[in-house]
Amino acid sequence: MLVTLAQGPARWKVQLSDCPCPGEDARPRGQIGEVELSTSSPLAGAPGEPTAPHILPVLCCVSPPGSSALQGRTRGSRGCLLEQALFGLLFGVDASLLESPVILCGLPDGQLCCVVLKTLVTSRLSPGDPKALVKILHHLEEPVVFIGALKTESLAEDAEDTHPDCLVALGHGGRILAIKASWDEAGTLVPELREYQLPGPVLCAACGGGGRVYHSTPSELCVADLARGRASDRGPGGLPSLLCPAGLGICSVVTLSVSCEVPEGGARLLALSARGRLMTCSLDLSSEMPCPTRAAVADTGQKIKELLSGIGTVSERVSSLKKAVDQRNKALTCLNEAMNVSCVLLASREGPRPISCTTTTAWSRLQPQDMLTATCRLENNSGLSLDRGWALCVQVLTSTPASDTDVAGSATTYTIPVDRLGPGDRREVTLPLGPGEDGALDLPLTVSCALHYSLREVVGGALAPSESFKDPFLDECPPDVLPEQDGICLPLSKHTVDMLQCLRFPGLATPHTQPSGLLGPVSDSVDTFLGSLGPRSEPAGPASLRAKFLPPSVATIRVSAELLRAALGDSHTAGTSLGCATLQWLLAENTALDVVRSRRLSSVQGVAPDGTDLHLTIREVAVTHLCTAGPMQTVEIQVESSSLASLCSAHHAVIGRLQRMVVEQAAQSSSPPDLRVQYLRQIHINHETLLREVQALRDRLCTEDEASSCGTAERLLQVYAQLRSPSLLLL
């Protein structure tokens, strides 16, 4: 006969069919009997379309000892024999008298049901109440995945009944039910039901000799012994009060079978792993497996107290570990953001940068003198944030003093923490540039801005172990693994501050808008008071004597008008002369640019940082002897000052702007006009002659005495004046 458990629209059905014998027609002979099982929770699904359960039900055929006709057929195919006493207690007198096998059904909703096979056969001939054919033995409250039987009592020498005396059912979550016949206090034979909890989820299970139950989980194959333990450790029915599974070191077994040929003191298993590997496992189970006695159970409270006493230490360690892990995760996040910022800046070396820093200069009133300040504006136009560890580094590098070329310029570095600069945010920093305590301002100045990321600030704390947390990895890799430079430096900008940016123009500002104290060099209040009392002696310094007795020094540069028009482009409008546009271009980074543009000036007189006057004049002139085609329109830039130092600084600033302009226009401009080569050669020869004379005069000054060196010095100044006004022209 073939017993099937089929899923109906709302209930499970046990169906019995007649199977053909070997050699007969293989066609089925039809259904013999059918009964529906009552379910506590109906299966989900539309009417007529049952949904397949997540865990399939299990079937087991249990026979009494006297059913010899079925004994050989049920033992090897999910069937077992139970001792007579337990069989009668579970399934009733009718099943025992009929010697009928019983079908045990373990359902996904946790029910353990039974159907007597011979009553199901006769129900077709004499139908009655279907519910009377089904008996619910127990409810595990979790899907049933295994049903089996085993022998828990040791065999005596004259024992005749060697059949299993314990029925077990195992749930998917690890709950196991053991049923055994026992005597109560009144001496009546009753079924003893005891539940235990094993590790889950259960993949498969099997019953073996010696009262052992094998069950597999994704992480371990365990064995639990229902027959071990002394009488004092057992309950009234002979089952242990506690079940202690032991791991066998095998994981992810999906199918398990216990071999009938059991070696002495051990077991042999046939297992199939989740990866399809078929294994034969020979186990030595002769040694005692650890299982607590009643005395140990009584001491459980004391052990719990001891475990609770250590919770504080464990909690502190867990907090320390969590803090260390969080700190390292934050450090990794910061390093990732720093890497992204570095990639963005290094990938945009040409064109507008997503993170930029611009520098502007201005004069401010600081006691006891005016101070030139630089304002660095850091702008974040990227989608990234500059958080902890980032700093803006500004380096101010002075030029080499003209009086001593062997002394290198000094550098001052300012480091300003960025804190947090999100997308679209900006930050401004104002730094003093000079003049120093001696009142001198060495121009030009170079202001370099860079972003610095401190690895030690961000990563050093994560690598340094706390007292309560020692990582063995840190013992091998101390914090000294950080690079010596201690960070990442990303250059942003370099700005040169020259004389043209530092000039002040007190004559351009109106009396109402001109700020007090910024009109020129700072005058001491004592000097102002003494000056109001009457005439006083003039200072006898070299600069004052030069301004009083010598004519001002002049430097001249001539530039092609065509070159300037091409370079100025849109800034040279139709209503503005080329001289006015050139002066605006030279003073583009000066705070007086708006006034010069509004008044359309081509000549302006300013004050240098040392207080001396400086006159800047732009005029258009025609050069007649250079081009063979005729006169050439040029722009003459003239710098005039009574101070040689101020004149040289302004001349250097003008030359630097013109050099950059020529380089930019060299690739775009057309070929130069036809020039008179002989005239150019003569100018070059005259220039070389003047340079040789300068060297000779300088050598003579080193050997002559003070009285005879006055004429040499005067001639040297005349040669310098000729060199500052060459006849060459920038094309």
Side-chain angles (χ1 to χ4, degrees), residues 3 21 97 130 219 230 236 335 393 420 449 454 673 677:
V3 181
C21 296
L97 294 177
S219 59
R230 296 184 298 271
L335 287 177
C393 294
R420 178 174 178 81
C449 300
S454 176
V677 179

Side-chain angles (χ1 to χ4, degrees), residues 147-455:
I147 302 173
L150 48 82
K151 185 70 175 178
T152 61
E153 298 293 341
S154 59
L155 298 177
E157 294 181 359
D158 56 348
E160 297 180 357
D161 190 359
T162 61
H163 302 298
D165 58 359
C166 182
L167 181 69
V168 294
L170 186 58
H172 182 262
R175 181 176 297 179
I176 182 173
L177 170 70
I179 308 175
K180 188 177 180 182
S182 63
W183 301 92
D184 61 3
E185 297 178 357
T188 306
L189 194 62
V190 295
E192 175 70 19
L193 283 78
R194 187 176 292 272
E195 285 190 357
Y196 307 95
Q197 183 64 44
L198 299 178
V202 177
L203 301 179
C204 63
C207 291
R212 301 183 186 96
V213 179
Y214 303 90
H215 78 284
S216 173
T217 67
S219 59
E220 188 68 275
L221 176 61
C222 302
V223 56
D225 196 344
L226 288 170
R228 287 189 177 272
R230 296 184 298 271
S232 59
D233 301 329
R234 293 173 175 266
L239 292 172
S241 57
L242 290 177
L243 202 58
C244 305
L248 301 179
I250 305 174
C251 63
S252 300
V253 173
V254 295
T255 303
L256 186 65
S257 177
V258 181
S259 175
C260 298
E261 299 179 359
V262 181
E264 184 178 357
R268 183 175 291 113
L269 307 179
L270 187 63
L272 180 66
S273 68
R275 295 186 177 182
R277 184 170 55 179
L278 189 62
M279 300 174 289
T280 300
C281 309
S282 298
L283 307 178
D284 182 11
L285 302 175
S286 58
S287 59
E288 290 288 335
M289 287 186 298
C291 191
T293 62
R294 281 191 175 273
V297 174
D299 295 338
T300 303
Q302 180 64 28
K303 293 182 179 180
I304 292 177
K305 292 181 181 179
E306 295 176 358
L307 291 175
L308 290 177
S309 64
I311 287 181
T313 304
V314 174
S315 177
E316 291 179 1
R317 178 166 177 81
V318 170
S319 300
S320 177
L321 290 173
K322 185 177 182 301
K323 181 179 179 181
V325 171
D326 292 342
Q327 192 173 11
R328 294 185 181 185
N329 289 338
K330 291 180 180 178
L332 289 176
T333 303
C334 294
L335 287 177
N336 184 42
E337 294 178 354
M339 183 65 67
N340 294 335
V341 172
S342 303
C343 293
V344 166
L345 288 178
L346 295 177
S348 57
R349 295 184 177 181
E350 298 181 359
R353 312 189 76 177
I355 301 177
S356 60
C357 187
T358 57
T359 304
T360 57
T361 56
W363 287 91
S364 61
R365 179 63 171 174
L366 297 175
Q367 294 294 339
Q369 61 182 356
D370 290 348
M371 181 67 65
L372 180 65
T373 60
T375 300
C376 301
R377 175 181 295 179
L378 180 64
E379 297 187 28
N380 183 10
N381 296 321
S382 67
L384 305 173
S385 297
L386 303 181
D387 295 324
R388 184 172 65 96
W390 287 104
L392 176 64
C393 294
V394 182
Q395 185 187 61
V396 180
L397 179 64
T398 61
S399 61
T400 303
S403 58
D404 192 355
T405 57
D406 296 333
V407 179
S410 61
T412 305
T413 303
Y414 303 89
T415 302
I416 304 97
V418 175
D419 293 335
R420 178 174 178 81
L421 191 69
D425 296 342
R426 63 179 61 179
R427 186 125 338 137
E428 289 187 357
V429 178
T430 301
L431 305 172
L433 297 181
E437 296 180 357
D438 56 353
L441 181 62
D442 296 326
L443 296 175
L445 297 172
T446 302
V447 181
S448 302
C449 300
L451 277 178
H452 182 268
Y453 186 75
S454 176
L455 293 175

Side-chain angles (χ1 to χ4, degrees), residues 647-659:
L647 177 73
C648 292
S649 296
H651 187 234
H652 182 272
V654 174
I655 291 296
R657 283 165 170 74
L658 292 177
Q659 285 178 341

